[in-house]
């Protein structure tokens, strides 16, 4: 009975968040065009034409409103189960809201006037500390890198790094239409299902609420027509707040206690498998910039989606390729987790990622050589 109630609540929150975001985004478009708040086009940008980048402003208000409304209605109807579940995790939710609000404000400032990466980095660390203070931090490595239980101070330090890492990974992967929202949506569907099966009701509620905000955004971002003023980007407001939510949920998954669902699975693998593509891409890009003697924190055009575009794929084909790769990585890692140690899974993932990138780079060079030869024949 309780499971049915919470599944119904999850779906109601998802639908309210979806509906509300679908209403808010067109209003953001109207305001953005009336006030000329657009994403500047430069040599690094792929898009053409005038496109606002304030779509992420809709995310956090829609999440808070949808959860509060549905839970309040349930309480008004005398359904008190949500009260007890919320009270059990109220500290975690309040710290999460603090982190989300801080990232929301930093994101708005960055989208409107720009914020230096050092200031954003400091704010991300503070948000990561809020997340750890909520109780969501890595307690046990489960054999990853041959480590087991961690002392609290080391778990906090590692988790702060992980939160900042994930937030930046989501932010930096946001380079073509639908990529950040698509990858985040895949992760949230996975988390929503996993947490529902594990009966982690409030965490599942957060995952479904965030997913509800991404669906209408994905439509406007991928299928919106800039000539008709229907296209929008999420901007840093969106990518930073989504990154905080994903990092909070992922760290919470590392500590869930549901043997009937997670037995024999490595919790770190369950928690971070959906985030492999953005996590691996940011490391490769970071070291590529250092090797080229460039500032690793300044943007360029060497992400995986840029490489696929250079290979000759269009934006839609690149998007589908990356999203499919993310699903395959996630399913393979989760499926093999009971049988292969987390360390060797990580080694295998890194090897496959490096080989894939090397093959793409070689194909790009061959294409450029053919073009060069054709031009001089």
């Amino acid at each position: 009975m309780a499971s049915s109630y919470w599944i119904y609540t999850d779906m109601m929150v998802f639908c309210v968040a979806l509906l509300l975001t679908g209403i808010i985004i067109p209003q953001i478009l109207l305001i953005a065009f009336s006030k000329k708040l657009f994403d500047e086009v430069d040599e690094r940008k792929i898009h053409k034409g005038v496109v606002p980048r304030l779509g992420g402003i809709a995310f956090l208000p829609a999440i808070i409103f949808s959860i509060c409304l549905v839970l309040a209605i349930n309480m008004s109807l005398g359904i008190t189960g949500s009260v007890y579940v919320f009270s059990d995790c109220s500290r975690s939710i309040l710290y999460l809201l603090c982190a989300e609000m801080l990232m929301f404000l930093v994101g708005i400032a960055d989208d409107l006037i720009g914020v230096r990466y050092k200031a954003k980095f400091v704010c991300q660390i503070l948000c990561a500390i809020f997340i750890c203070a909520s109780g969501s931090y890595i307690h046990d490595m489960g054999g990853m890198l041959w480590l087991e239980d961690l002392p609290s101070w080391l778990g906090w330090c590692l988790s702060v790094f992980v939160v900042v890492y994930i937030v930046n990974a989501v932010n930096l992967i946001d380079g073509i239409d639908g990529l950040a929202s698509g990858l985040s949506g895949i992760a949230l569907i996975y988390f929503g299902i996993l947490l529902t099966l594990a009966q982690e009701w409030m965490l599942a509620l957060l995952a479904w609420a965030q997913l509800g905000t991404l669906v209408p955004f994905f439509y406007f971002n991928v299928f919106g027509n800039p000539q008709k003023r229907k296209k929008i980007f999420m901007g840093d407001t969106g990518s930073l707040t989504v990154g905080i939510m994903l990092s909070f949920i992922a760290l919470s998954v590392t500590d869930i206690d549901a043997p009937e669902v997670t037995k024999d699975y490595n919790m770190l693998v369950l928690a971070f498998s959906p985030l492999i593509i953005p996590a691996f891409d940011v490391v490769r890009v970071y070291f590529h910039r250092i090797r080229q003697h460039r500032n690793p924190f300044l943007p360029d055009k060497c992400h995986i989606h840029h490489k696929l575009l250079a290979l000759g794929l269009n934006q839609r084909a690149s998007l589908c390729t990356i999203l499919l790769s993310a699903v395959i990585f996630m399913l393979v890692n989760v499926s093999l987790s009971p049988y292969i140690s987390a360390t060797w899974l990580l080694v295998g993932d890194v090897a496959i990622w490096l080989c894939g990138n090397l093959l793409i780079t070689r194909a790009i060079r061959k294409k450029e050589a053919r073009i060069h030869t054709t031009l001089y024949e």
Side-chain angles (χ1 to χ4, degrees):
M1 187 67 179
S3 297
S4 300
Y5 156 72
W6 277 106
I7 292 173
Y8 157 80
T9 301
D10 289 342
M11 293 304 99
M12 287 300 298
V13 166
F14 169 80
C15 291
V16 173
L18 185 149
L19 178 63
L20 187 58
T21 308
I23 293 172
I24 293 175
I25 287 180
Q27 309 312 310
I28 294 175
L29 283 166
L30 289 174
I31 295 170
F33 278 102
S34 66
K35 299 297 182 181
K36 295 181 171 52
L37 303 172
F38 309 127
D39 189 41
E40 295 182 3
V41 179
D42 56 36
E43 69 280 357
R44 189 179 60 86
K45 302 294 176 63
I46 295 170
H47 72 277
K48 306 297 181 184
V50 174
V51 181
R53 55 176 297 182
L54 301 173
I57 290 177
F59 294 172
L60 185 58
I63 291 171
I64 295 174
F65 181 89
S66 60
I67 291 177
C68 290
L69 178 64
V70 173
L71 293 184
I73 291 173
N74 288 345
M75 293 175 192
S76 298
L77 295 175
I79 305 173
T80 58
S82 55
V83 179
Y84 302 117
V85 172
F86 182 80
S87 64
D88 289 341
C89 58
S90 57
R91 184 189 68 164
S92 298
I93 300 300
L94 293 174
Y95 273 118
L96 171 64
L97 287 176
C98 290
E100 287 277 6
M101 284 302 302
L102 180 55
M103 278 292 92
F104 182 74
L105 295 173
V106 170
I108 291 176
D110 194 35
D111 288 334
L112 292 178
I113 60 174
V115 176
R116 293 190 177 186
Y117 69 86
K118 291 181 180 179
K120 285 196 289 186
F121 189 66
V122 171
C123 291
Q124 289 167 5
I125 292 175
L126 181 57
C127 290
I129 292 173
F130 287 150
I131 298 297
C132 294
S134 73
S136 297
Y137 65 93
I138 298 172
H139 299 80
D140 185 356
M141 294 289 287
M144 176 71 76
L145 302 179
W146 300 282
L147 298 173
E148 297 293 341
D149 291 339
L150 297 178
S152 294
W153 67 268
L154 183 56
W156 270 60
C157 293
L158 177 60
S159 300
V160 166
F161 170 79
V162 166
V163 172
V164 174
Y165 180 38
I166 292 174
V167 169
N168 281 283
V170 174
N171 186 31
L172 294 174
I173 203 70
D174 186 22
I176 60 175
D177 295 342
L179 185 54
S181 55
L183 289 171
S184 299
I186 289 170
L188 289 164
I189 292 170
Y190 163 82
F191 284 137
I193 294 172
L194 173 65
L195 293 166
T196 300
L197 292 174
Q199 298 187 7
E200 294 287 340
W201 304 121
M202 281 306 301
L203 291 173
L205 206 62
L206 292 169
W208 292 117
Q210 181 73 79
L211 179 65
T213 66
L214 291 181
V215 172
F217 169 79
F218 185 88
Y219 171 79
F220 281 98
N221 182 228
V222 176
F223 302 105
N225 188 334
Q227 280 71 42
K228 295 182 179 179
R229 300 185 172 187
K230 297 294 184 182
K231 190 178 187 68
I232 197 167
F233 299 144
M234 70 165 61
D236 277 16
T237 310
S239 60
L240 292 176
T241 52
V242 171
I244 285 291
M245 183 66 79
L246 286 173
S247 59
F248 173 79
I249 294 174
L251 287 175
S252 298
V253 167
T254 65
D255 200 37
I256 62 175
D257 183 19
E260 65 280 3
V261 177
T262 60
K263 183 181 179 182
D264 299 327
Y265 288 91
N266 184 285
M267 299 311 297
L268 286 183
V269 175
L270 290 183
F272 298 110
S273 290
L275 305 172
I276 283 177
I277 294 290
F280 281 12
D281 188 58
V282 73
V283 172
R284 185 191 62 78
V285 169
Y286 183 88
F287 283 109
H288 176 79
R289 291 170 182 169
I290 291 178
R291 191 176 63 183
Q292 298 295 321
H293 306 290
R294 297 200 301 266
N295 189 326
F297 298 102
L298 295 181
D300 55 20
K301 297 183 69 173
C302 62
H303 288 277
I304 183 62
H305 47 275
H306 293 123
K307 296 181 71 173
L308 292 177
L309 292 172
L311 192 59
L313 276 66
N314 59 32
Q315 282 203 52
R316 295 281 174 85
S318 300
L319 173 65
C320 292
T321 300
I322 297 172
L323 295 185
L324 180 60
S325 300
V327 172
I328 292 172
F329 264 116
M330 179 180 69
L331 294 178
V332 169
N333 275 271
V334 172
S335 300
L336 294 179
S337 177
Y339 311 105
I340 301 177
S341 75
T343 302
W344 289 113
L345 276 178
L346 178 61
V347 171
D349 290 337
V350 171
I352 292 170
W353 178 255
L354 291 176
C355 289
N357 274 275
L358 289 173
L359 290 174
I360 294 172
T361 301
R362 181 175 296 180
I364 292 171
R365 289 174 179 170
K366 287 183 178 179
K367 179 187 174 184
E368 291 173 346
R370 286 196 303 269
I371 294 173
H372 180 79
T373 303
T374 303
L375 289 174
Y376 286 93
E377 282 182 351

